[in-house]
Amino acid sequence: MWLFRRFRRNKILRENPLADTAWREVLADHPILAGLAEEEEGRLRELAVLFLHEKIYEPVQGLGLTEPMRLVIAVQCCLPVMNLGQDWLDGWRTVIAYPGAFVRKREQFDSSGVMHEWEEAVSGEAWKLGPLILSWADVEASGWGDGYNVAIHEIAHKLDLLNGEVDGFPPLHRGMSAKAWNQAFSAAFDDFNRRLDAGAATEIDPYAAEAPGEFFAVLSEYFFELPGLVFAEYPEVYRQLAAFYRQDPLARMERVRVANPPAEG
Ligand SMILES: [Zn+2]
């Protein structure tokens, strides 16, 4: 099975080469892709080609989805699994792209049993075994190194869903400790909620406090976009995310910083 998949993937890669110019452009346009080691960049490029080949893009509401736009989505979705492999994106095929935020009906019973309904604008959704849904405007606003990344957020939910619900507990690798993961994340989640309740300032999006699953997805965005912030605020969470994603974005950014020292005035 493994050999067959490998063979098929090599064939897809051979038959669907990605132009160097297109690849250079997407790298140059996304600061969070700076500092990748050569072999990492090669892996990310292969994953993006496979993603473009295997996922079905469905633009809706009149969105014109060009080849460069498809590549931008593919690269941002593949970055979290760059060192995990394409299998982690298995089990679903469709990427639905809206031009901007889209409206979802929400309903909830309150404590007295009354049903409340309201509409909410969302920038992305991830369904178990179902589509990945993204707002293109939000994908365009992602990847700048400012902490916001809708594609990484929704892919984090997809990885979390691989072993059940969106609960902030994705399948961990051999050698990782479920206890250490739970300790790091619950302590950080509780602390974050306490700080918000106390009105303390934080650079992390308060949406992370909604639920443990959202905390994992939002912290994953910051891990790739602003790793220094995660490391400064919750170093144990940074270590767990680095072990899970098998990446060290902080070291990447440090390499970029050393290679491009600020001009002295
Ligand atoms: Zn979410």
PDB file of all heavy atoms in Angstrom, residues 124 153-154 157 166 207 213-214 217-218, ligand 1:
ATOM      1  N   GLY A 124     -13.981  30.928   8.380  1.00  0.00           N
ATOM      2  CA  GLY A 124     -13.590  29.588   7.982  1.00  0.00           C
ATOM      3  C   GLY A 124     -14.339  28.542   8.780  1.00  0.00           C
ATOM      4  O   GLY A 124     -14.892  28.839   9.846  1.00  0.00           O
ATOM      5  N   HIS A 153      -5.588  27.913  11.100  1.00  0.00           N
ATOM      6  CA  HIS A 153      -6.617  27.691  12.126  1.00  0.00           C
ATOM      7  C   HIS A 153      -7.507  26.501  11.751  1.00  0.00           C
ATOM      8  O   HIS A 153      -7.721  25.588  12.552  1.00  0.00           O
ATOM      9  CB  HIS A 153      -7.462  28.965  12.287  1.00  0.00           C
ATOM     10  CG  HIS A 153      -8.510  28.875  13.355  1.00  0.00           C
ATOM     11  ND1 HIS A 153      -8.373  29.494  14.577  1.00  0.00           N
ATOM     12  CD2 HIS A 153      -9.707  28.234  13.388  1.00  0.00           C
ATOM     13  CE1 HIS A 153      -9.442  29.238  15.318  1.00  0.00           C
ATOM     14  NE2 HIS A 153     -10.283  28.475  14.621  1.00  0.00           N
ATOM     15  N   GLU A 154      -7.997  26.513  10.517  1.00  0.00           N
ATOM     16  CA  GLU A 154      -8.922  25.448  10.108  1.00  0.00           C
ATOM     17  C   GLU A 154      -8.198  24.113   9.931  1.00  0.00           C
ATOM     18  O   GLU A 154      -8.762  23.056  10.230  1.00  0.00           O
ATOM     19  CB  GLU A 154      -9.679  25.841   8.832  1.00  0.00           C
ATOM     20  CG  GLU A 154     -10.538  27.111   8.970  1.00  0.00           C
ATOM     21  CD  GLU A 154     -11.502  27.098  10.159  1.00  0.00           C
ATOM     22  OE1 GLU A 154     -11.956  26.008  10.562  1.00  0.00           O
ATOM     23  OE2 GLU A 154     -11.796  28.186  10.704  1.00  0.00           O
ATOM     24  N   HIS A 157      -7.899  22.524  13.232  1.00  0.00           N
ATOM     25  CA  HIS A 157      -9.147  21.808  13.578  1.00  0.00           C
ATOM     26  C   HIS A 157      -9.201  20.456  12.856  1.00  0.00           C
ATOM     27  O   HIS A 157      -9.615  19.452  13.425  1.00  0.00           O
ATOM     28  CB  HIS A 157     -10.374  22.626  13.173  1.00  0.00           C
ATOM     29  CG  HIS A 157     -10.690  23.774  14.102  1.00  0.00           C
ATOM     30  ND1 HIS A 157     -10.460  23.725  15.457  1.00  0.00           N
ATOM     31  CD2 HIS A 157     -11.250  24.993  13.866  1.00  0.00           C
ATOM     32  CE1 HIS A 157     -10.853  24.871  16.013  1.00  0.00           C
ATOM     33  NE2 HIS A 157     -11.331  25.657  15.069  1.00  0.00           N
ATOM     34  N   VAL A 166     -13.383  18.271  18.069  1.00  0.00           N
ATOM     35  CA  VAL A 166     -12.513  19.439  18.220  1.00  0.00           C
ATOM     36  C   VAL A 166     -12.385  19.708  19.719  1.00  0.00           C
ATOM     37  O   VAL A 166     -13.261  20.300  20.336  1.00  0.00           O
ATOM     38  CB  VAL A 166     -13.113  20.673  17.500  1.00  0.00           C
ATOM     39  CG1 VAL A 166     -12.343  21.940  17.859  1.00  0.00           C
ATOM     40  CG2 VAL A 166     -13.094  20.479  15.995  1.00  0.00           C
ATOM     41  N   TYR A 207     -10.550  35.127  21.246  1.00  0.00           N
ATOM     42  CA  TYR A 207     -11.344  34.004  20.740  1.00  0.00           C
ATOM     43  C   TYR A 207     -10.775  32.669  21.230  1.00  0.00           C
ATOM     44  O   TYR A 207     -11.494  31.674  21.356  1.00  0.00           O
ATOM     45  CB  TYR A 207     -11.383  34.041  19.207  1.00  0.00           C
ATOM     46  CG  TYR A 207     -12.314  33.023  18.610  1.00  0.00           C
ATOM     47  CD1 TYR A 207     -13.684  33.083  18.863  1.00  0.00           C
ATOM     48  CD2 TYR A 207     -11.834  31.982  17.817  1.00  0.00           C
ATOM     49  CE1 TYR A 207     -14.547  32.141  18.335  1.00  0.00           C
ATOM     50  CE2 TYR A 207     -12.692  31.029  17.280  1.00  0.00           C
ATOM     51  CZ  TYR A 207     -14.047  31.116  17.544  1.00  0.00           C
ATOM     52  OH  TYR A 207     -14.892  30.177  17.025  1.00  0.00           O
ATOM     53  N   GLY A 213     -10.550  23.524  22.090  1.00  0.00           N
ATOM     54  CA  GLY A 213     -10.298  23.306  20.655  1.00  0.00           C
ATOM     55  C   GLY A 213      -9.922  24.593  19.946  1.00  0.00           C
ATOM     56  O   GLY A 213      -9.062  24.602  19.053  1.00  0.00           O
ATOM     57  N   GLU A 214     -10.567  25.695  20.344  1.00  0.00           N
ATOM     58  CA  GLU A 214     -10.229  26.994  19.742  1.00  0.00           C
ATOM     59  C   GLU A 214      -8.876  27.475  20.247  1.00  0.00           C
ATOM     60  O   GLU A 214      -8.113  28.100  19.505  1.00  0.00           O
ATOM     61  CB  GLU A 214     -11.314  28.033  20.042  1.00  0.00           C
ATOM     62  CG  GLU A 214     -12.666  27.721  19.413  1.00  0.00           C
ATOM     63  CD  GLU A 214     -12.598  27.477  17.904  1.00  0.00           C
ATOM     64  OE1 GLU A 214     -11.713  28.040  17.225  1.00  0.00           O
ATOM     65  OE2 GLU A 214     -13.420  26.678  17.414  1.00  0.00           O
ATOM     66  N   ALA A 217      -6.308  25.808  18.125  1.00  0.00           N
ATOM     67  CA  ALA A 217      -6.278  26.339  16.749  1.00  0.00           C
ATOM     68  C   ALA A 217      -5.686  27.750  16.721  1.00  0.00           C
ATOM     69  O   ALA A 217      -4.849  28.067  15.865  1.00  0.00           O
ATOM     70  CB  ALA A 217      -7.682  26.321  16.152  1.00  0.00           C
ATOM     71  N   VAL A 218      -6.092  28.599  17.663  1.00  0.00           N
ATOM     72  CA  VAL A 218      -5.584  29.981  17.673  1.00  0.00           C
ATOM     73  C   VAL A 218      -4.088  29.995  18.026  1.00  0.00           C
ATOM     74  O   VAL A 218      -3.296  30.703  17.402  1.00  0.00           O
ATOM     75  CB  VAL A 218      -6.404  30.859  18.655  1.00  0.00           C
ATOM     76  CG1 VAL A 218      -5.748  32.227  18.836  1.00  0.00           C
ATOM     77  CG2 VAL A 218      -7.840  31.023  18.155  1.00  0.00           C
TER      78      VAL A 218
HETATM   79 ZN    ZN B   1     -12.049  27.576  15.198  1.00  0.00          ZN
END
